[in-house]
Amino acid sequence: MPDSDAQPTEPIAVGSRVTVIRTSGSRSSDTEPQVGVVVEDFADTVIDDTDLGRDWAPVLRWAIALDDGRLVFAAEGSLELA
């Protein structure tokens, strides 16, 4: 029987409100969550890390217009739905 309290999980897409997750390798000095709207998905241009022969410098798939007016880019797995 399905769980009636379970929230449906929507995929992140252009137009989604998201929170940018700060990663340990981030150079940003921001400690507060950064919330905004996804304005572009570069999935069609992302190259698999295994094809690059490295696991550092992840490809930044998402462009996010933050609520404070900044435009930031985030890698796959660096966003949560807000």
Side-chain angles (χ1 to χ4, degrees):
M1 180 148 92
D3 182 1
S4 61
D5 293 333
Q7 297 281 332
T9 304
E10 297 177 31
I12 293 173
V14 172
S16 296
R17 286 209 42 87
V18 295
T19 301
V20 179
I21 303 165
R22 185 175 169 173
T23 60
S24 60
S26 174
R27 290 192 215 174
S28 174
S29 61
D30 292 332
T31 56
E32 296 297 314
Q34 299 175 18
V35 179
V37 176
V38 175
V39 294
E40 188 62 67
D41 177 0
F42 296 103
D44 293 341
T45 59
V46 172
I47 300 170
D48 188 351
D49 287 343
T50 57
D51 292 341
L52 297 174
R54 61 173 167 78
D55 60 358
W56 50 271
V59 176
L60 303 178
R61 173 181 173 176
W62 304 100
I64 302 99
L66 298 179
D67 291 349
D68 66 7
R70 292 180 292 159
L71 178 66
V72 297
F73 297 89
E76 184 70 35
S78 297
L79 301 177
E80 292 179 346
L81 289 171

